Amino acid sequence: MSVLDSIRSARDVADLPVEQIPALCGELRRFIQQVTLDNGGHLASSLGAVELVVALLRVFDPTRDRIIFDVGHQAYAYKILTGRRERFHTLRTRGGITGFPKRGESPCDAFDVGHSSTSISAALGFAKARDLLRQRHDVVAVIGDGALLNGVALEALNNIRAARTKVIVVLNDNGMSISPRVGGLAEHLARLRANPTYLKLKQFIKGQCRSISGGEALDGALSRIKTKVKSLILPPNMFEELDLHYWGPFDGHDAEEMTEILHLARRHPESILVHVITKKGKGCPEAEANPSEFHGVSPGTSLRGTAAPKPRDWSRAVADLLEKLAEEDPRVVGCIAAMKEGARLADFARKYPTRFFDVGIAEEHLVTYAGGLAAGGMRPVVFLYSTFLQRAMDQLVHDVCLPDLPVLLAVDRAGLVGEDGETHQGLLDIAWGRSIPNLSLLAPRDAVDLEFMMRGWLYRRGPALIRYPRGAVPHSIGRSPERDGGMVPWGEPEILRRGERIGIVAVGSTVRLALEAADLAEKRGEPPLSVVDARFLKPLDERIYDDLFASHEALAVLEEGYEAGGFGENLARRCQERGFFCRVIPMAVPDRFIPQATRAEQWGQCGLTPERILERIRERALAVRPSTSR
Ligand SMILES: Cc1ncc(C[n+]2csc(CCOP(=O)(O)OP(=O)(O)O)c2C)c(N)n1
């Protein structure tokens, strides 16, 4: 029986003889690697946090203490050791173990996470609630060095003194975000990491730990540490300046040392930050050598590179166009928040190092920074995943759209994202984007329109948001040879097929689906359906839509976004207001969080299949047949 087999619950980790810990960590690593390569997920970060997780579970009781992981992408070992080993092979699949901690999945998951830098705020909240309810347990935030440099985390650090409570912050420092971390504070961390004074202090704390047996000895040790700290001439330390005691740096792969330090931190009377150094990808040579590539892997990845070559994706197409536009116009610059790899911007960054800005995980700053660049005369293209744009909505409204600045938001992973699940769905940008004055909202169906739109933005005024989904980019959809080269003008929808009484208006990624539904209707001998590619969700070409309302009894509207506040709802309202009898039927994502599954499964769950679209048209439109107003 392996050591891992003997672990049924977190309690067993605490009771494990110390000499078995290395074997446990090795087995955990192999298990995480195997499942993550098969199912996809966050490999390098989870491999780097194995000993840290084991140490946390030897010191804290996860059912009583609250351990809050930041992002949660490093918590696979935690999931496995807290009763989810048997189901771990279902990681990130439909109905399976989720890729991030989730309260509904286990009582050991203290907080739902996925977006970065929330752990210290949540920990402070938990600690305050504990104090007010007169409970006694520990609250621990485990945060990476990339996530720590985000505004939300810094706001929480700033609040620690005022909150007058106790939290333990474990800073898991691997020197990396997805790519190497960037910025002035990042360098501050590097200095702390390398500082010999702190190393001496570390030796001292370690010495004290070894000598501690009971409470009295601990008190003595702590006060000696305090005196010692004071007696040392310490270089500036941002944490100490914020009244947060700083201990470290420690070797995060020495589970025994980590256990000792966490025991001590637990008994320390005030809030404390324990700085732990780890290696991203630890134990897997390929991931250690290339932690960015193995940060997140897709299903079926092999360590020697992905088995099947992947088709060109939307991110690549947008990144290539950025390069083209940058060649043509020296004002064009690219801006991103720590997602260079996902957005395929590494080539651009190499080619235009002075015109590429990675601000770290700092979406709010990113958008306002782009506003400043635009006001100063540049043409910034801001790359954001739709889900992370949520962080920067105020900046988009206040710092870009209100001053009507020429910023292009390239919104990637817009729509259903698949295995990352609920936290990462990009379903709100249409509803929000539509409501913001001055912002043009564009959804290309293929690479041809993508280029037309990006170029169009460059030679026009004002901000625009262009949304595109995860996955392969079709070069061209529904373009007849005679029409090629003749693009439909800026702002207009494109009528791809003219049917009789019923039509489908499709947004971006759903155009192909609309064509498939129309093909299916034809195959079944039903009256031909019109298919319209909306292209521009805002502003709306009112004349063309009035014509469509007038000439159709029913129009289904497909979009990969929430139905509430979506494009379909908007068209329905408009149609009604203008007094047409056309029935507009929004077909989009229903009003709930959509859990992890493949993207195709999620489309199915939301009724976005040709069969279901025809059924819904039949149910809603053909049941009652009003006369048309022409
Ligand atoms: C608000 C937000 N922006 C971007 C991301 C994408 N993301 C996930 S993990 C990660 C890097 C985090 O770096 P760090 O905290 O140092 O952890 P590491 O991966 O190095 O273990 C990023 C940028 C996110 N989850 N949330």
Side-chain angles (χ1 to χ4, degrees):
M1 187 161 100
S2 70
V3 183
L4 190 52
D5 283 337
S6 70
I7 306 288
R8 298 271 136 211
S9 71
R11 185 76 252 151
D12 298 333
V13 182
D15 294 341
L16 197 70
V18 78
E19 57 282 2
Q20 293 196 14
I21 289 177
L24 174 66
C25 293
E27 288 167 25
L28 277 167
R29 282 209 164 84
R30 281 190 290 282
F31 188 33
I32 290 171
Q33 186 172 310
Q34 174 224 317
V35 173
T36 312
L37 290 174
D38 282 354
N39 296 18
H42 288 95
L43 182 60
S45 307
S46 271
L47 291 178
V50 167
E51 287 83 4
L52 179 56
V53 165
V54 169
L56 284 164
L57 292 175
R58 284 175 80 74
V59 177
F60 301 101
D61 172 354
T63 57
R64 198 200 52 192
D65 298 320
R66 302 286 69 191
I67 302 173
I68 303 145
F69 288 94
D70 207 280
V71 184
H73 64 317
Q74 73 289 58
Y76 292 174
Y78 183 81
K79 292 202 174 219
I80 294 166
L81 295 175
T82 52
R84 285 166 273 184
R85 181 170 65 89
E86 255 132 48
R87 291 191 61 225
F88 191 68
H89 66 279
T90 64
L91 180 71
R92 289 163 51 94
T93 58
R94 187 175 182 178
I97 293 290
T98 56
F100 306 100
K102 186 168 172 53
R103 282 154 59 94
E105 187 177 283
S106 161
C108 298
D109 288 356
F111 205 62
D112 288 28
V113 281
H115 286 203
S116 88
S117 316
T118 60
S119 62
I120 306 177
S121 302
L124 280 174
F126 269 113
K128 202 72 207 171
R130 169 199 62 200
D131 300 348
L132 291 170
L133 296 170
R134 296 181 192 287
Q135 295 169 344
R136 287 169 64 83
H137 54 258
D138 288 293
V139 179
V140 186
V142 182
I143 184 165
D145 52 305
L148 184 79
L149 306 180
N150 172 278
V152 178
L154 296 177
E155 287 167 30
L157 283 180
N158 182 50
N159 189 225
I160 284 185
R161 186 197 314 227
R164 292 181 188 283
T165 184
K166 184 198 165 185
V167 291
I168 299 169
V169 179
V170 177
L171 169 58
N172 174 16
D173 179 359
N174 55 25
M176 300 283 293
S177 182
I178 294 180
S179 12
R181 64 169 183 228
V182 288
L185 285 178
E187 280 169 29
H188 181 72
L189 283 188
R191 278 196 291 276
L192 291 183
R193 194 174 159 139
N195 193 286
T197 315
Y198 281 104
L199 288 176
K200 261 189 252 156
L201 179 60
K202 172 189 138 179
Q203 297 305 331
F204 179 80
I205 293 173
K206 266 178 82 175
Q208 297 304 319
C209 292
R210 298 244 155 79
S211 68
I212 286 165
S213 49
E216 260 172 51
L218 179 79
D219 278 353
L222 288 174
S223 69
R224 281 198 300 283
I225 287 170
K226 236 175 163 178
T227 320
K228 181 87 177 175
V229 170
K230 277 189 185 152
S231 73
L232 293 167
I233 304 155
L234 293 175
N237 176 315
M238 61 179 266
F239 305 111
E240 295 278 354
E241 296 298 320
L242 292 168
D243 257 9
L244 181 61
H245 295 267
Y246 170 92
W247 288 0
F250 300 102
D251 176 1
H253 297 303
D254 182 339
E256 220 182 311
E257 171 174 277
M258 286 311 310
T259 306
E260 288 173 358
I261 296 298
L262 291 174
H263 265 303
L264 197 58
R266 189 172 170 216
R267 295 186 191 178
H268 189 71
E270 291 167 8
S271 288
I272 183 163
L273 181 135
V274 179
H275 188 177
V276 172
I277 308 299
T278 59
K279 182 139 191 70
K280 199 159 176 167
K282 176 81 176 170
C284 169
E286 292 83 352
E288 281 191 31
N290 200 345
S292 299
E293 189 183 328
F294 288 96
H295 173 88
V297 297
S298 34
T301 296
S302 102
L303 286 175
R304 276 159 274 109
T306 34
K310 282 193 193 154
R312 180 180 162 80
D313 59 26
W314 280 94
S315 312
R316 166 63 58 202
V318 177
D320 289 351
L321 277 166
L322 175 73
E323 228 174 291
K324 261 198 192 175
L325 297 186
E327 266 159 35
E328 292 166 22
D329 188 330
R331 298 171 304 165
V332 170
V333 292
C335 312
I336 194 137
M339 303 300 286
K340 185 172 75 184
E341 283 75 17
R344 314 241 179 273
L345 286 176
D347 293 341
F348 182 84
R350 264 190 298 276
K351 193 160 172 193
Y352 293 103
T354 58
R355 288 162 68 186
F356 171 75
F357 313 114
D358 180 353
V359 300
I361 313 178
E363 288 80 5
E364 299 108 302
H365 163 62
L366 175 76
V367 173
T368 303
Y369 177 60
L373 281 165
M378 306 305 286
R379 289 288 177 139
V381 181
V382 175
F383 291 80
L384 275 163
Y385 286 10
S386 173
T387 190
F388 303 138
L389 172 62
Q390 291 168 199
R391 274 281 164 91
M393 284 311 285
D394 180 57
Q395 287 73 12
L396 177 58
V397 174
H398 184 268
D399 305 329
V400 171
C401 295
L402 180 58
D404 203 14
L405 292 166
V407 173
L408 177 63
L409 286 127
V411 176
D412 199 341
R413 280 32 170 205
L416 294 158
V417 296
E419 296 80 1
D420 275 336
E422 290 163 319
T423 53
H424 281 54
Q425 304 289 15
L427 301 172
L428 284 161
D429 58 273
I430 297 180
W432 286 351
R434 269 199 42 249
S435 326
I436 307 175
N438 290 344
L439 183 68
S440 301
L441 198 55
L442 327 176
R445 70 175 183 274
D446 60 17
V448 177
D449 225 8
L450 176 71
E451 175 156 8
F452 175 80
M453 289 174 176
M454 284 183 70
R455 223 171 257 294
W457 160 78
L458 184 57
Y459 297 104
R460 279 180 174 74
R461 296 181 52 250
L465 185 160
I466 190 162
R467 75 184 311 260
Y468 46 95
R470 196 190 124 192
V473 59
H475 174 69
S476 136
I477 294 180
R479 293 180 192 280
S480 53
E482 59 272 18
R483 220 206 271 144
D484 255 355
M487 294 297 298
V488 175
W490 181 266
E492 290 185 14
E494 181 171 349
I495 297 168
L496 298 172
R497 286 192 198 174
R498 274 202 188 274
E500 285 175 6
R501 293 169 290 106
I502 312 287
I504 304 176
V505 178
V507 174
S509 53
T510 62
V511 172
R512 192 194 288 270
L513 175 65
L515 290 167
E516 284 166 11
D519 287 344
L520 182 63
E522 199 183 312
K523 212 166 93 195
R524 290 176 177 172
E526 293 173 12
L529 295 178
S530 300
V531 176
V532 179
D533 174 4
R535 300 176 74 230
F536 291 80
L537 311 188
K538 197 185 166 194
L540 211 60
D541 189 308
E542 300 184 349
R543 185 186 49 84
I544 296 183
Y545 280 102
D546 280 358
D547 285 352
L548 287 169
F549 297 146
S551 55
H552 288 83
E553 286 176 17
L555 285 173
V557 185
L558 312 185
E559 65 197 297
E560 227 187 316
Y562 277 124
E563 184 175 318
F567 183 64
E569 227 184 58
N570 176 43
L571 282 190
R573 186 181 48 82
R574 201 190 140 69
C575 175
Q576 196 190 26
E577 261 173 27
R578 304 271 297 144
F580 292 102
F581 291 106
C582 174
R583 185 171 284 219
V584 177
I585 314 160
M587 293 189 190
V589 178
D591 184 16
R592 59 187 163 83
F593 291 108
I594 307 297
Q596 68 191 24
T598 63
R599 218 163 102 73
E601 286 169 334
Q602 289 169 344
W603 275 44
Q605 284 168 30
C606 296
L608 294 171
T609 61
E611 294 75 15
R612 190 70 195 114
I613 289 165
L614 295 187
E615 256 169 55
R616 286 168 78 187
I617 290 178
R618 210 172 302 119
E619 285 160 14
R620 299 273 312 277
L622 301 182
V624 186
R625 227 182 241 174
S627 61
T628 51
S629 115
R630 281 176 197 268

